[in-house]
Amino acid sequence: MAILVYAEHDNASLKKATLNTITAAKQMGDDIHVLVAGSGNQAVADEAAKAEGVSKVLLVDNAAYEHQMAETIALLVVDLAGDYSHIVAPATTTGKNFMPRVAALLDVSMLSDVTAVIDAQTFERPIYAGNATATVKTTESKVVLTVRTTGFDAAVAEGGSATVETIDNVQQSDKSSFVNEEMATSDRPELTSASIVISGGRALANGENFTKYIEPLADKLGAAVGASRAAVDAGYVPNDMQVGQTGKIVAPDLYIAAGISGAIQHLAGMKDSKIIVAINNDPESPIASVADYFLEADLFDALPELTSKV
Amino acid sequence: MKALVAVKRVIDYNVKVRVKADNSGVDLSNTKMSINPFDEIAVEEAVRLKEAGVIDEIIVASIGPKESQEQIRAALALGADRGVLVVSDDKPYPLQVAKILKSIAEQEGTDIILLGKQAIDDDNNQTGQMLAALMGAGQGTFASEVKVEGDKVHVTREVDGGLQTVELALPAIITTDLRLNEPRYAKLPNIMKAKKKPLDEKTPADFGVEMASKQEIIKVEPPAERKAGIKVGSVDELVDKLRNEAQVI
């Protein structure tokens, strides 16, 4: 049986998370179909058809799916589910929102945030905020799961030539409706998908110093800006910048922690980063024991120098 | 209007997690246990809705070991009115929990059901969505703002890259994110009063639910240790290492 991958997109272009999810799905089976559900989303389907390893793209283009509401998307996916052994979505806020609905409607259990595929029924996933890794085997007839995109390389975006099949399927729900959205207009990459993240801690002392010391380096490196919970609690920056057990889990190629001591709560959110750099003046701080490169320095001197030299 | 809030007994978020030597799970013996912090936010939100006159009664439910009554009592001390404990020594999986919560919500006729977005032990982030699916109800996950307007509720959700607001018909399921509120501390007189509030005890069988899951945890391991890194002496050396050794810039 084929595997259904749910495409993450904004009706205009395919999100990279979809490519990571395709790689994960390839480890479960060979025949990968990608569902592109949205409105005015033909371009997304064309893009998905070019991804390597995809054999078919299912395009559903209807106003009912414009905002990918969980109530209708779940009904759509369940309607298509009969043909598939696995239903896979990225563990983005969209995937996390509708996939448990799919599982419950199919009366099957689900696996969230899978980080490794052992075989088609057995998976690894982090528990206790990444402080432990569970290997879980499922005997459900249909495997419903979300994958943590940082656990899988992106499939090659070009070179494939899948067929695009348009399907007409309109699911309605009177239980929910979209009101509005306010998307952050930052030119910086999104925290959980950025390849470089620079975070500041309480040592920054105030919000202005984030602007003055962290942001120029982030702009130079094309990095996302994060913060420790201490910096958030102190009111320097908003909570959506928080990296940690109670905030966002990140695993970029490069994580730079400036003025962060590395409490367990923070480490839980970033310790899967490929390269960790810590800059602070306490060599005994917990972050020093997980950092690949530790620079003992005053961040107010080191950050401007680093910004000028990269 | 009635609210149902689900709370889970989990390891306290301040406790360092240790994997058992036989890799069968996480060691919870003699460990401080608490209400799942996201559920505590759900309790606080229900109490605020009650204080605002929107909600008349708050029912707190937990599915778990007998000791979970401590977490229900803690929620009662924060302002909930009565509790339902569904005693189960089996590991509570989200689908089974959602089935039990559905029965409770329907028996009680609750209009708003609040849960934490996820429990900090299994990190599944499934129960609220599954409950909404089983009830055929609307859902507002990752809520950072909740406004009840007549027979509708507006929920602002924290999504990747920003905020989204949805309107839900009642009954609706809301799962809470960190920014929704800051839970209060229970005052001593309220803790004493909570001991006298009603707490019903049930079993999964009372709801016709089998706790067995088709998932089996084969092993639990500590995450791979990071190898010790090096100390660099200057910004120049750091830049050189990042460029030439790690090749990340």
Side-chain angles (χ1 to χ4, degrees):
Chain A
M1 268 179 142
I3 291 174
L4 186 66
V5 169
Y6 184 84
E8 174 88 10
H9 66 86
D10 58 3
N11 292 318
S13 63
L14 194 69
K15 294 265 170 78
K16 183 170 164 266
T18 313
L19 299 173
N20 304 86
T21 308
I22 290 168
T23 300
K26 287 295 282 181
Q27 296 173 16
M28 302 167 212
D30 289 327
D31 196 7
I32 308 294
H33 297 185
V34 176
L35 170 63
V36 180
S39 176
N41 53 335
Q42 174 77 46
V44 183
D46 294 341
E47 211 180 321
K50 288 189 207 132
E52 210 162 73
V54 177
S55 54
K56 186 154 83 172
V57 173
L58 304 175
L59 168 63
V60 187
D61 179 352
N62 192 287
Y65 305 120
E66 185 183 355
H67 300 291
Q68 301 179 54
M69 302 287 281
E71 293 78 3
T72 47
I73 289 290
L75 292 171
L76 168 67
V77 174
V78 167
D79 204 38
L80 301 170
D83 296 334
Y84 297 97
S85 62
H86 293 67
I87 302 166
V88 189
T92 55
T93 47
T94 306
K96 288 176 176 175
N97 194 37
F98 79 88
M99 285 290 268
R101 264 189 104 98
V102 169
L105 293 171
L106 294 169
D107 196 25
V108 297
S109 58
M110 176 188 160
L111 290 122
S112 299
D113 263 319
V114 163
T115 47
V117 179
I118 310 294
D119 62 42
Q121 307 290 131
T122 316
F123 306 91
E124 278 183 14
R125 56 178 304 270
I127 54 174
Y128 292 87
N131 286 302
T133 305
T135 303
V136 186
K137 186 178 172 66
T138 174
T139 52
E140 296 284 7
S141 54
K142 215 168 274 301
V143 180
V144 178
L145 54 90
T146 59
V147 301
R148 186 172 286 187
T149 53
T150 51
F152 302 91
D153 294 333
V156 177
E158 298 286 335
S161 55
T163 54
V164 178
E165 185 183 318
T166 303
I167 40 179
D168 196 19
N169 187 319
V170 185
Q171 303 286 342
Q172 302 285 358
S173 168
D174 57 2
K175 304 298 180 190
S176 74
S177 57
F178 173 85
V179 177
N180 62 42
E181 64 188 5
E182 292 167 45
M183 296 315 235
T185 49
S186 169
D187 293 333
R188 293 198 191 92
E190 207 271 317
L191 197 51
T192 50
S193 60
S195 58
I196 302 179
V197 173
I198 301 166
S199 289
R202 193 158 38 193
L204 265 296
N206 58 50
E208 291 77 58
N209 283 338
F210 266 81
T211 312
K212 195 169 159 193
Y213 291 92
I214 302 279
E215 291 182 8
L217 180 58
D219 289 339
K220 200 132 178 220
L221 291 171
V225 176
S228 69
R229 180 164 184 174
V232 171
D233 284 349
Y236 305 163
V237 290
N239 186 55
D240 58 349
M241 285 169 63
Q242 190 194 143
V243 172
Q245 182 172 15
T246 52
K248 290 181 173 159
I249 310 283
V250 301
D253 295 332
L254 171 61
Y255 188 87
I256 301 177
I260 292 177
S261 65
I264 298 171
Q265 125 74 28
H266 187 75
L267 298 184
M270 46 62 78
K271 65 185 166 49
D272 290 330
S273 305
K274 289 202 180 82
I275 296 291
I276 297 172
V277 171
I279 302 171
N280 71 46
N281 41 31
D282 178 10
E284 303 300 318
S285 59
I287 197 126
S289 66
V290 303
D292 298 279
Y293 304 112
F294 180 78
L295 176 62
E296 183 180 349
D298 185 327
L299 65 93
F300 297 112
D301 299 326
L303 286 177
E305 188 183 347
L306 184 57
T307 305
S308 71
K309 287 178 174 167
V310 293
Chain B
M1 211 180 265
K2 275 194 206 178
L4 174 66
V5 184
V7 299
K8 186 178 186 184
R9 176 181 172 87
V10 298
I11 191 167
D12 187 86
Y13 74 95
N14 284 313
V15 174
K16 186 164 167 54
V17 172
R18 282 178 214 286
V19 172
K20 285 185 195 167
D22 66 358
N23 294 118
S24 62
V26 163
D27 190 0
L28 297 177
S29 54
N30 304 315
T31 302
K32 186 182 178 202
M33 304 293 280
S34 299
I35 296 186
N36 174 44
F38 292 105
D39 298 345
E40 203 171 10
I41 294 171
V43 174
E44 174 67 29
E45 194 65 17
V47 172
R48 289 186 190 190
L49 288 170
K50 190 178 172 188
E51 287 168 346
V54 175
I55 297 283
D56 306 306
E57 188 183 26
I58 303 167
I59 301 148
V60 182
S62 189
I63 294 107
K66 184 122 183 144
E67 293 80 8
S68 304
Q69 59 174 287
E70 291 166 22
Q71 280 63 50
I72 293 181
R73 292 284 177 209
L76 296 173
L78 292 172
D81 296 291
R82 60 191 170 90
V84 180
L85 171 60
V86 182
V87 180
S88 169
D89 288 323
D90 292 314
K91 183 177 169 55
Y93 281 91
L95 183 60
Q96 286 70 25
V97 170
K99 287 178 179 178
I100 293 171
L101 291 175
K102 171 183 189 261
S103 292
I104 296 173
E106 288 176 351
Q107 282 170 13
E108 298 284 355
T110 48
D111 304 284
I112 291 182
I113 302 149
L114 289 150
L115 308 86
K117 71 169 178 180
Q118 69 189 64
I120 62 163
D121 49 5
D122 287 332
D123 286 330
N124 279 312
N125 195 331
Q126 298 171 5
T127 304
Q129 296 90 316
M130 286 181 159
L131 174 60
L134 296 175
M135 292 181 66
Q139 66 181 51
T141 53
F142 319 116
S144 60
E145 195 180 352
V146 172
K147 272 194 228 160
V148 179
E149 290 168 7
D151 59 350
K152 305 269 187 195
V153 56
H154 278 220
V155 178
T156 301
R157 312 177 50 233
E158 305 228 358
V159 295
D160 293 330
L163 297 172
Q164 180 191 63
T165 303
V166 294
E167 181 183 87
L168 308 173
L170 298 179
I173 285 80
I174 296 163
T175 76
T176 59
D177 216 323
L178 273 182
R179 270 205 284 187
L180 181 58
N181 61 49
E182 202 168 306
R184 67 195 68 190
Y185 288 98
K187 295 191 180 111
L188 187 61
N190 292 344
I191 295 171
M192 301 312 288
K193 261 187 248 167
K195 289 183 179 169
K196 297 204 175 76
K197 289 183 178 176
L199 201 172
D200 278 350
E201 231 176 74
K202 303 271 189 188
T203 67
D206 293 336
F207 303 98
V209 174
E210 287 261 2
M211 293 300 279
S213 171
K214 287 189 176 170
Q215 282 185 16
E216 184 197 351
I217 295 177
I218 295 177
K219 62 179 174 187
V220 174
E221 295 166 305
E225 289 275 327
R226 291 188 74 91
K227 59 176 172 33
I230 59 162
K231 217 169 143 175
V232 291
S234 67
V235 170
D236 285 322
E237 193 187 340
L238 177 61
V239 172
D240 175 64
K241 294 283 186 196
L242 293 178
R243 219 166 247 155
N244 301 315
E245 191 175 88
Q247 298 181 338
V248 284
I249 58 169

